[in-house]
Amino acid sequence: STPELQKVPLDALLLQMVAMGLPNARLFPFIEPPQPENIENAIESLKQHGALTKEERLTPIGKMLSQLPVDIPLGKMLIMGSLFDQLEPVLSLACVLSVQTPFTNKAYKDTECERARMDLESDHGDPIILLNAFKQWLELKSNGQNTNTRQWCKRRGFEEQRFYEMTKLRRQFKDLLDECGLVKNEEKNMDDMTSAERALRHGELKLLRGMKKIHKEEDSRKRKVLKKDMWEIDDNLDAEDDLVDIRDIDFRLRHNQRQVKQLLKGSTAISYKDLMMLKIILSSGLYPHIAISDEFNSCKTTKEHLFHTEGKPFVSLHPMSYFGNHSDVLQLTESEIIYVPEFKGKNTVSSKHQILIYMSLLETTKAYIMNSLRMPGAQTLLLFSRNICTNRNFSQIICDSWLQLEFPLPEAAENLILKATKLRNTWDNLLKLKLEGRSNRKSEHQLSVDMVQFMNAEIGYSMKRLLAADQKVMYVGPSGEHISFTGPNPFCGDNWQVCEDDKYGGIRLAPYLTYDCLTGQSLVVYDPWICPFCNSTIEVTSALEKLQHRQVCDSQTTSGTAEGMYNYLQVLL
């Protein structure tokens, strides 16, 4: 049979090797070596997640990820959750995505199951639906032992064993973060219980242990019968439901009522801001697992809709996923389309374009997207893209060399990308502090508020997938000449040495941002521009000059702070 090492992802293994100081993974003498392309893909994936530098050295977040024995995307989610004070819901989200799907085969075939599950559904995507199901299951558990959660699961097409696995996995995740110093696991300390609560808990534990002992004795004498359909739903409780549920007993032995209520509270997104932050944190872990809708989906039925990922075009949504049955929510409505007469692009302009962030691809006879979440298109791409290329006036932006954004209003685009870079820089700085054992709670809270506001920005643009032929002619290429860059860098300040991009040409203004490297742009003539800070009229030759002047004026106006620029961006966005 095929060795296990040649079938599983190598990301976590190679990260462990780098963390231990082992030599180049490509030269490591594996007993049954994986394919060279698998090693290269794993190394590239680690670079994309920020765990390795371009020189394949360990980054601070890579060092932390190497201490977490979980998949890299889940590890990033847990770290980001601790940064944005969203750790409890992120723990629940991570555990529901880590276990096998709780949906049974009848979940989407039985109309009764679908009707019973309607209150759990969310048009945000599958991860939020799973979180809702876990939350409601915990609500029933918190009501006491008289609630039959097993019957509740049957009626909705869930396999209850998965929820028990989620609770165990959630505790393990929290213990791991506790060992890494990212969180203090307060569940370990129950000394704050009153004497009355301890007495009640002692009596409850004694009763539960007795029930478990009796169940074991009876179970050893019971005949094993193979059932025809263990998930058959009956309005009347069958004989099985009258018996003791040993899994429920084990659950209550591990969790008292207070702990169950803490789990319930930690699995709840209280506000829209919390929900959006959960989606942003999930996106930060799963990126670049993104998919874009096919441009001809509007002409097809829901079941025929196709999507494109960076590495695999024409994939389908899994038929047991929310969007697989409601993909119409991903399509633009007539009221969301913006008609711009002066815009020469061929693609639809809207401020409501969406992309899918997904957990994995299921490769069978067809490729299926699993556990997907919808996010605003341009905002998500500008926040998480590894490589952003722009033209001279920012009206055209290419993200990760395969998705193109075009903006009818270039000034709106330049302010959107400027806001995105400021958020990214702040995020990186706060994450660095967090990994060093320090934190700035006020700045972290403000960043979460700003990111939610950024995600809701109403700016019209078009979005399309670039084909291989397009990618060959999109970039001007390096000139080989020395670039003379004067003035401040409005995107990275003095933290980055501006230079020519040796692959795309243009000016590298940030580790992920290359300016003026796209072809096909005619000469842009700028009208005299009035600075919003000093009110002076200035002749500019590029959008970058405008941003540089604004930064100088802003720093002079606000005594070196970014308050003026920030307020200006808030108005524009």
Side-chain angles (χ1 to χ4, degrees):
S1 63
T2 305
E4 187 71 15
L5 193 62
Q6 298 180 11
K7 297 188 294 184
V8 300
L10 301 175
D11 310 40
L13 173 63
L14 296 186
L15 185 62
Q16 293 284 346
M17 293 172 62
V18 175
M20 290 188 294
L22 294 177
N24 190 336
R26 301 175 183 85
L27 305 177
F28 188 79
F30 293 101
I31 296 176
E32 295 173 323
Q35 296 296 324
E37 58 267 25
N38 292 346
I39 294 179
E40 294 298 331
N41 291 338
I43 292 175
E44 182 61 28
S45 175
L46 291 173
K47 291 179 181 178
Q48 293 172 359
H49 284 294
L52 295 180
T53 64
K54 288 184 177 180
E55 295 77 23
E56 299 180 10
R57 296 176 181 172
L58 206 63
T59 63
I61 192 172
K63 183 178 180 181
M64 183 62 68
L65 287 170
S66 67
Q67 301 174 32
L68 297 173
V70 297
D71 291 339
I72 302 300
L74 293 177
K76 280 189 70 176
M77 284 173 53
L78 295 174
I79 293 173
M80 297 306 174
S82 66
L83 173 65
F84 290 107
D85 197 24
Q86 294 285 336
L87 182 60
E88 292 298 327
V90 168
L91 279 168
S92 298
L93 193 58
C95 75
V96 301
L97 293 174
S98 299
V99 303
Q100 185 178 334
T101 177
F103 292 106
T104 64
N105 291 332
K106 294 183 67 173
Y108 285 94
K109 296 179 181 179
D110 192 303
T111 56
E112 292 295 326
C113 287
E114 292 183 329
R115 276 199 292 268
R117 214 171 48 243
M118 285 184 64
D119 60 326
L120 302 176
E121 292 192 341
S122 168
D123 62 1
H124 292 283
D126 300 317
I128 306 303
I129 294 175
L130 291 174
L131 188 63
N132 289 341
F134 184 51
K135 172 194 168 186
Q136 196 167 118
W137 181 79
L138 288 172
E139 283 181 351
L140 296 175
K141 287 294 185 185
S142 67
N143 291 335
Q145 58 181 334
N146 294 327
T147 305
N148 193 323
T149 55
R150 182 165 52 186
Q151 189 70 7
W152 178 87
C153 288
K154 285 184 180 182
R155 293 185 185 279
R156 286 156 181 79
F158 291 129
E159 187 176 353
E160 189 175 26
Q161 175 62 26
R162 304 302 170 217
F163 293 113
Y164 289 115
E165 292 173 3
M166 291 174 192
T167 58
K168 294 179 182 178
L169 196 57
R170 191 183 189 280
R171 180 182 287 259
Q172 292 174 13
F173 284 161
K174 197 162 188 178
D175 289 342
L176 288 172
L177 293 178
D178 185 24
E179 293 172 3
C180 294
L182 289 176
V183 64
K184 182 179 180 181
N185 196 342
E186 298 176 352
E187 290 184 7
K188 292 182 178 180
N189 184 13
M190 298 304 296
D191 294 337
D192 56 346
M193 294 176 64
T194 65
S195 57
E197 289 174 333
R198 281 196 293 269
L200 286 173
R201 180 59 177 164
H202 178 74
E204 182 185 14
L205 290 175
K206 185 177 180 180
L207 176 63
L208 290 171
R209 292 189 184 109
M211 293 171 64
K212 186 174 182 178
K213 182 179 179 181
I214 294 173
H215 179 273
K216 283 185 176 180
E217 292 174 353
E218 293 179 349
D219 192 57
S220 62
R221 298 191 298 267
K222 193 183 303 180
R223 292 178 60 190
K224 306 298 181 183
V225 180
L226 181 63
K227 296 183 179 180
K228 179 181 178 182
D229 187 356
M230 67 176 297
W231 294 110
E232 183 178 356
I233 297 176
D234 191 353
D235 290 334
N236 299 316
L237 298 180
D238 54 23
E240 180 188 3
D241 295 311
D242 294 329
L243 301 177
V244 173
D245 187 347
I246 188 61
R247 292 173 299 185
D248 180 65
I249 292 176
D250 288 336
F251 176 83
R252 287 190 282 137
L253 281 170
R254 290 192 303 270
H255 304 87
N256 59 32
Q257 282 297 101
R258 179 184 297 186
Q259 290 173 317
V260 175
K261 290 180 180 178
Q262 287 176 346
L263 281 174
L264 175 59
K265 182 180 179 181
S267 303
T268 305
I270 300 174
S271 63
Y272 171 78
K273 170 183 168 292
D274 293 334
L275 178 60
M276 181 55 73
M277 279 309 304
L278 274 180
K279 294 173 67 176
I280 292 173
I281 291 169
L282 180 59
S283 300
S284 71
L286 296 182
Y287 197 92
H289 287 181
I290 63 173
I292 182 175
S293 175
D294 186 81
E295 59 182 316
F296 299 110
N297 277 354
S298 58
C299 308
K300 303 174 184 177
T301 63
T302 299
K303 300 296 183 182
E304 296 175 330
H305 285 183
L306 295 173
F307 293 79
H308 307 284
T309 68
E310 183 176 7
K312 198 172 189 67
F314 303 106
V315 298
S316 302
L317 297 170
H318 196 275
M320 289 180 64
S321 67
Y322 178 81
F323 294 128
N325 293 276
H326 305 86
S327 61
D328 53 299
V329 302
L330 302 174
Q331 305 304 312
L332 294 173
T333 63
E334 187 65 27
S335 61
E336 293 172 339
I337 297 175
I338 302 173
Y339 295 95
V340 184
E342 302 83 7
F343 183 59
K344 298 180 180 180
K346 298 179 180 179
N347 299 93
T348 304
V349 176
S350 175
S351 61
K352 302 295 184 182
H353 287 292
Q354 300 177 89
I355 60 174
L356 286 180
I357 305 288
Y358 63 90
M359 186 71 184
S360 60
L361 280 178
L362 177 63
E363 301 274 1
T364 58
T365 53
K366 294 172 63 176
Y368 291 103
I369 292 174
M370 302 289 292
N371 286 333
S372 55
L373 186 83
R374 65 187 178 106
M375 291 291 289
Q379 295 91 321
T380 305
L381 291 172
L382 293 179
L383 271 183
F384 300 116
S385 289
R386 310 177 302 275
N387 185 41
I388 300 173
C389 295
T390 78
N391 60 1
R392 180 172 286 266
N393 66 346
F394 295 103
S395 62
Q396 188 178 114
I397 298 174
I398 295 180
C399 299
D400 290 333
S401 301
W402 76 286
L403 290 177
Q404 182 186 61
L405 308 175
E406 288 190 282
F407 295 82
L409 300 177
E411 188 177 56
E414 71 185 45
N415 286 287
L416 186 70
I417 194 170
L418 183 62
K419 179 66 175 176
T421 56
K422 289 185 179 298
L423 290 174
R424 291 177 70 143
N425 295 339
T426 304
W427 189 334
D428 290 342
N429 292 334
L430 292 177
L431 180 60
K432 183 179 179 181
L433 287 176
K434 187 72 175 181
L435 296 177
E436 292 174 353
R438 299 179 291 162
S439 62
N440 186 329
R441 305 305 297 174
K442 183 178 179 180
S443 297
E444 291 168 3
H445 173 73
Q446 186 59 49
L447 176 60
S448 64
V449 172
D450 293 343
M451 293 185 78
V452 172
Q453 189 174 19
F454 174 75
M455 284 293 179
N456 292 324
E458 295 280 344
I459 294 178
Y461 62 94
S462 68
M463 180 170 63
K464 77 167 186 176
R465 174 178 67 108
L466 293 177
L467 302 177
D470 299 323
Q471 297 174 19
K472 293 179 180 179
V473 296
M474 289 301 300
Y475 305 102
V476 297
S479 65
E481 300 177 359
H482 176 71
I483 291 182
S484 177
F485 183 84
T486 58
N489 183 350
F491 295 97
C492 260
D494 298 329
N495 298 325
W496 176 257
Q497 182 65 43
V498 176
C499 60
E500 183 184 40
D501 191 288
D502 56 5
K503 181 178 180 181
Y504 303 108
I507 306 173
R508 194 80 166 179
L509 295 175
Y512 49 83
L513 177 63
T514 305
Y515 171 73
D516 194 19
C517 65
L518 302 183
T519 60
Q521 178 178 256
S522 57
L523 181 63
V524 179
V525 179
Y526 288 89
D527 296 327
W529 174 68
I530 301 176
C531 176
F533 298 103
C534 64
N535 293 322
S536 57
T537 302
I538 303 170
E539 298 286 343
V540 295
T541 59
S542 70
L544 183 59
E545 286 185 16
K546 289 168 56 178
L547 295 179
Q548 288 178 315
H549 178 85
R550 270 183 8 202
Q551 180 167 335
V552 172
C553 284
D554 173 50
S555 61
Q556 293 174 351
T557 304
T558 60
S559 302
T561 69
E563 182 182 354
M565 177 68 80
Y566 175 79
N567 293 335
Y568 178 68
L569 289 174
Q570 295 299 96
V571 172
L572 285 171
L573 295 179

